[in-house]
Amino acid sequence: MSDPLAIEVKGLRVEYGGRAVLRNVNLQVRAGEVMVIMGGSGSGKSTFLRHLLGLEKPAAGEIRILGDDITQMSWAQMLELRKKMGVAFQSGALLGSLTVGENILLPLREHTRLDESTMRIMMRLKLDVVNLPGCEDLMPSQLSGGMIKRASLARAIIMDPKLLFLDEPSSGLDPVVAAAIDELILKLNEAGMSMVVVTHMLESAFKIADRIAVLGDGEVLVSGTIDEVRASKDERVQALLNRREKHEELPPEEYLKRLTTRPEART
């Protein structure tokens, strides 16, 4: 029997201004696994993540999160589902006017009726999990980049979500701190948390991923284990893995058409 699915995406199509940004994207994330989403600049990673979070509605397709199609959900239904999801944003997105502890407490205060002492115990437990004990009274401005990432992660897991989304969790950090973040991700996954991690860091991706999906030109170029992705014959995948810039070569008449017509008139 196959593993249950945490996420199932079928035929996802996203358009902006009549232009397709994602086309017929299909992807499955199994319960308890770490799925890493990779791709070059402009490949659609951020767009894909926004749609997985239900922040935008697609032009077509299904996005099933924990069994429910979020493209058909009302605002109230989506709010209930988000209580089972955690998100750590690339910038950390901590509120600068609140202490670290108050930032982490926000989801509990918004979505639960727990008493203050219980919430504070939970907050301190999560600070211990991300190796930030005793930092609850610090302001975000007093934290290093790595500490901000950890505090953001503590807030993302404060309600013990079934599904965790991480956007570039180790980008902008020195190698030692980035490696520590990777170890923390693996530690959380061992506790049974399903994860979607968007990253452009190859070393990090190969360390934490159970499977990898590579986006390119608005499509999933390959999805599979690390070995399967490495063995891909797609030149765009190999260009990403080997850090090569892929130049598009056009016939002279097509190049001239691109220079002299508007984008919507080229199809």
Side-chain angles (χ1 to χ4, degrees):
M1 184 177 179
S2 59
D3 294 332
L5 298 177
I7 299 174
E8 185 174 21
V9 180
K10 293 182 179 179
L12 180 65
R13 181 177 179 85
V14 176
E15 297 179 354
Y16 293 138
R19 174 175 171 266
V21 178
L22 295 175
R23 299 182 296 276
N24 194 35
V25 170
N26 299 283
L27 188 68
Q28 293 183 341
V29 180
R30 300 166 189 148
E33 81 170 341
V34 178
M35 170 63 79
V36 169
I37 308 296
M38 301 190 69
S41 178
S43 62
K45 300 189 303 297
S46 296
T47 297
F48 188 41
L49 181 60
R50 287 197 301 273
H51 281 77
L52 290 180
L53 295 173
L55 300 177
E56 298 181 19
K57 293 285 187 181
E62 295 181 9
I63 305 173
R64 293 194 173 275
I65 304 292
L66 302 175
D68 296 315
D69 185 359
I70 66 173
T71 66
Q72 304 300 317
M73 281 186 173
S74 66
W75 180 86
Q77 290 171 323
M78 195 66 220
L79 186 62
E80 283 301 308
L81 180 61
R82 286 196 180 116
K83 295 177 183 179
K84 303 175 185 177
M85 300 158 54
V87 185
F89 299 97
Q90 180 176 355
S91 64
L94 300 180
L95 299 180
S97 60
L98 301 180
T99 65
V100 169
E102 289 170 335
N103 267 280
I104 296 168
L105 285 169
L106 278 176
L108 292 178
R109 288 176 170 161
E110 183 72 21
H111 300 298
T112 75
R113 296 182 178 179
L114 297 171
D115 62 81
E116 185 69 16
S117 61
T118 299
M119 289 192 294
R120 288 197 169 274
I121 289 171
M122 293 173 66
M123 175 264 291
R124 290 169 188 141
L125 283 172
K126 292 304 188 282
L127 281 173
D128 284 345
V129 169
V130 300
N131 298 320
L132 286 179
C135 293
E136 62 185 274
D137 292 328
L138 295 179
M139 301 300 291
S141 60
Q142 296 175 286
L143 304 183
S144 66
M147 293 171 74
I148 288 174
K149 298 272 190 180
R150 288 173 182 272
S152 176
L153 188 51
R155 183 176 61 188
I157 64 173
I158 188 64
M159 292 183 64
D160 296 317
K162 294 182 178 180
L163 186 55
L164 184 62
F165 296 88
L166 305 175
D167 187 13
E168 298 286 0
S170 56
S171 67
L173 304 178
D174 68 64
V176 174
V177 177
I181 294 291
D182 291 341
E183 290 292 340
L184 181 53
I185 291 171
L186 291 172
K187 179 180 176 182
L188 291 171
N189 179 242
E190 287 173 1
M193 204 173 288
S194 306
M195 299 188 188
V196 174
V197 182
V198 175
T199 184
H200 69 278
M201 309 284 286
L202 281 175
E203 184 177 352
S204 176
F206 290 157
K207 181 176 180 180
I208 66 175
D210 291 307
R211 292 190 300 135
I212 297 174
V214 180
L215 293 180
D217 300 324
E219 301 173 325
V220 176
L221 303 179
V222 63
S223 176
T225 64
I226 294 171
D227 289 340
E228 288 170 340
V229 170
R230 280 176 165 158
S232 173
K233 305 284 187 192
D234 193 302
E235 291 183 3
R236 295 165 293 181
V237 175
Q238 291 303 319
L240 178 70
L241 297 182
N242 294 288
R243 300 301 194 194
R244 296 196 307 266
E245 184 176 2
K246 186 178 183 297
H247 295 281
E248 182 181 14
E249 295 185 5
L250 298 174
E253 60 273 15
E254 181 64 26
Y255 183 59
L256 179 61
K257 181 181 178 182
R258 173 172 291 189
L259 292 175
T260 57
T261 60
R262 294 175 62 86
E264 59 268 23
R266 293 174 192 159
T267 56

